[in-house]
Amino acid sequence: MMEAIYNWPLIRFAEPMWLWMAAALILLLPLWKRLRPAMAHTNTGMHKITSFGWPSKICMLLLALTWLAFTGAMAKPKLTHQQMREFLDARDFVIGMDRSGSMFTADIESKELQAEINAFEQGERDEEKKMRDKFPTLYPYEAEPEDKNAKKDDGKVMRFPLARYAAIQFLKSRPEGDRAALFTFDDEAYWAWPLGKDVNIVLRKVSELSRQSGGGTNFDGPSGSNRQKGAFQATLEQFDSLGKSKTQVIIFISDGDAGINEERHQYFVEQMRKDGRNIHIFALVCGAQTQLTNTATQSLRRLVEEVNPKDWKDVKGEPVDAVIWAGNGEAMKKAFDKINELEKSSIELEAVESQKPIESAFTLFGCIAGGLFLGLCFLFRESF
């Protein structure tokens, strides 16, 4: 209660409409003096006692404080504390994962990669079971059942599990300070987590993604008759609203089976270059390695090449390709190392307010004031 008294300017009410009940004091205080027991007598002068001195005023004050305290408690008061502003040296990443129908095709022939992904998914299931046993209230939904019909040793990898695996590997490679966001897309974009500094939350969100397939792949919408926002539009809007770092990186994990028309291509290039923006694109291509040369993926490659710096090289002077097959671990590591070389910028995070409920302090104060009111009324022989 003392904390609330000392920090009263920081008190906020979650349901302030209840505070209107304080106006009832305008009627309550006069009625308290008028609705007193009366005794019939032919001569009331001898019984008349003037009790509007200081004892009566103290009782009225305590009655008012009691009413106000319980009224305040019903308005759900909270004590707000503003944390200190935080500065980070960071880069901003938006990860877009394709979950269109084609991403649930098993056409990647590699027993070694399949064993690696099977072990990764089994580790996820074991970790989730352990957490469910330890914190059951944090998991109100049933665990997604394992696909019993999935072949574990046929040497063919499905595209979507590879996409999830690639996203996890990328996020685990992030140094402290980098900020990340995650969304999935098919005909439109679905945000799993907005741009923020806690990469561990984004890691967890990747594990929680639904394994259900979606519709088609929308890279360039809204375009033509398609008015739904596609992957690139959703990413640019995320950078506009929450991006803070000068270096902004788009990580698309997709099979690339969608086109980008010329008008939208030019629009995206202009948006990524305006106002001195420093946006880079990395495309981690899922599916068979032939997807890299598939004509359906060429419009994505063309946009990547036009936006990224020309003749991009790593610290060893070797060329860096920003369009990579997600099953090539060595090429992925090389790309991640290049990303780590991109310049960081100092950003200031918004101050965060924490709120502590203090209804109990108001209720306690009301009980104390009410108890004193009743006690003093009895002591001063005030009727109530």
Side-chain angles (χ1 to χ4, degrees):
M1 188 168 70
M2 296 306 296
E3 182 184 12
I5 294 173
Y6 289 141
N7 298 283
W8 65 267
L10 300 177
I11 295 176
R12 302 290 183 270
F13 295 94
E15 298 181 11
M17 73 287 291
W18 287 102
L19 297 178
W20 284 103
M21 291 184 62
L25 283 173
I26 299 173
L27 297 175
L28 181 64
L29 293 180
L31 285 174
W32 174 62
K33 296 303 296 180
R34 290 181 179 276
L35 298 178
R36 305 180 64 175
M39 179 176 65
H41 200 279
T42 56
N43 183 8
T44 59
M46 61 180 292
H47 298 285
K48 191 173 182 180
I49 302 175
T50 302
S51 66
F52 205 76
W54 64 267
S56 179
K57 291 179 180 178
I58 290 176
C59 289
M60 290 180 70
L61 175 63
L62 288 172
L63 176 60
L65 290 175
T66 302
W67 183 265
L68 291 174
F70 286 115
T71 298
M74 287 190 292
K76 297 187 181 302
K78 298 180 185 297
L79 195 61
T80 61
H81 293 284
Q82 194 173 70
Q83 297 178 359
M84 297 296 291
R85 292 184 179 271
E86 186 177 356
F87 293 85
L88 291 177
D89 288 329
R91 293 169 291 246
D92 288 344
F93 296 90
V94 171
I95 304 167
M97 291 181 57
D98 188 348
R99 59 183 295 269
S100 61
S102 60
M103 287 291 290
F104 292 81
T105 302
D107 62 346
I108 308 168
E109 296 189 11
S110 173
K111 287 194 174 183
E112 182 180 345
L113 182 60
Q114 185 184 51
E116 200 171 335
I117 291 178
N118 287 346
F120 156 69
E121 292 191 324
Q122 185 60 49
E124 281 188 321
R125 287 190 289 270
D126 293 343
E127 181 64 23
E128 181 179 341
K129 184 178 184 305
K130 184 168 64 175
M131 294 299 290
R132 282 178 177 275
D133 292 341
K134 189 174 182 180
F135 306 106
T137 57
L138 296 180
Y139 295 86
Y141 54 89
E142 293 292 329
E144 195 164 309
E146 185 179 355
D147 186 359
K148 300 296 184 181
N149 297 322
K151 297 179 180 179
K152 298 298 183 182
D153 57 357
D154 63 352
K156 290 186 178 181
V157 180
M158 186 180 290
R159 298 178 182 184
F160 189 71
L162 175 59
R164 291 181 58 255
Y165 183 62
I168 292 288
Q169 300 312 306
F170 171 72
L171 288 166
K172 286 183 176 180
S173 74
R174 295 302 84 226
E176 185 177 355
D178 280 352
R179 305 167 72 233
L182 174 70
F183 73 97
T184 61
F185 65 95
D186 47 28
D187 293 314
E188 57 184 308
Y190 313 92
W191 285 98
W193 195 255
L195 196 54
K197 69 170 185 174
D198 198 336
V199 175
N200 288 324
I201 294 181
V202 185
L203 273 166
R204 191 174 77 241
K205 291 297 179 181
V206 173
S207 297
E208 294 174 355
L209 291 177
S210 172
R211 275 62 161 180
Q212 299 298 316
S213 66
T217 305
N218 182 1
F219 277 149
D220 62 0
S223 174
S225 60
N226 178 20
R227 307 318 300 166
Q228 292 177 314
K229 291 180 184 177
F232 279 102
Q233 186 65 44
T235 302
L236 290 173
E237 290 181 3
Q238 182 75 183
F239 281 141
D240 285 339
S241 61
L242 297 177
K244 293 179 177 293
S245 176
K246 292 179 181 178
T247 299
Q248 299 176 335
V249 183
I250 302 170
I251 308 290
F252 275 163
I253 310 176
S254 169
D255 54 17
D257 283 342
I260 302 173
N261 69 43
E262 186 61 31
E263 181 183 350
R264 294 298 285 170
H265 173 96
Q266 289 302 125
Y267 172 80
F268 292 142
V269 171
E270 291 170 6
Q271 291 298 305
M272 293 179 195
R273 288 178 174 172
K274 75 173 186 179
D275 302 328
R277 266 180 160 169
N278 190 20
I279 291 183
H280 305 289
I281 307 174
F282 284 82
L284 310 183
V285 179
C286 299
Q289 291 193 56
T290 53
Q291 284 294 109
L292 290 172
T293 56
N294 190 327
T295 55
T297 67
Q298 293 311 298
S299 59
L300 176 60
R301 176 180 282 277
R302 178 168 165 253
L303 180 60
V304 172
E305 291 175 349
E306 188 164 347
V307 170
N308 287 348
K310 301 295 184 292
D311 301 323
W312 216 357
K313 296 182 180 180
D314 60 16
V315 290
K316 298 178 181 178
E318 297 179 359
V320 175
D321 193 351
V323 180
I324 312 150
W325 180 51
N328 187 338
E330 187 175 339
M332 294 262 287
K333 183 180 183 304
K334 186 176 180 180
F336 296 165
D337 289 342
K338 180 59 186 177
I339 291 172
N340 290 342
E341 294 172 15
L342 297 176
E343 181 184 3
K344 290 187 175 185
S345 58
S346 181
I347 63 174
E348 181 181 3
L349 300 180
E350 294 293 333
V352 178
E353 283 190 350
S354 61
Q355 295 187 330
K356 177 182 177 182
I358 53 171
E359 295 99 320
S360 58
F362 276 69
T363 304
L364 177 60
F365 182 82
C367 291
I368 293 173
L372 287 173
F373 166 71
L374 295 175
L376 290 181
C377 282
F378 177 78
L379 179 65
F380 296 144
R381 307 185 73 175
E382 292 284 338
S383 298
F384 56 87

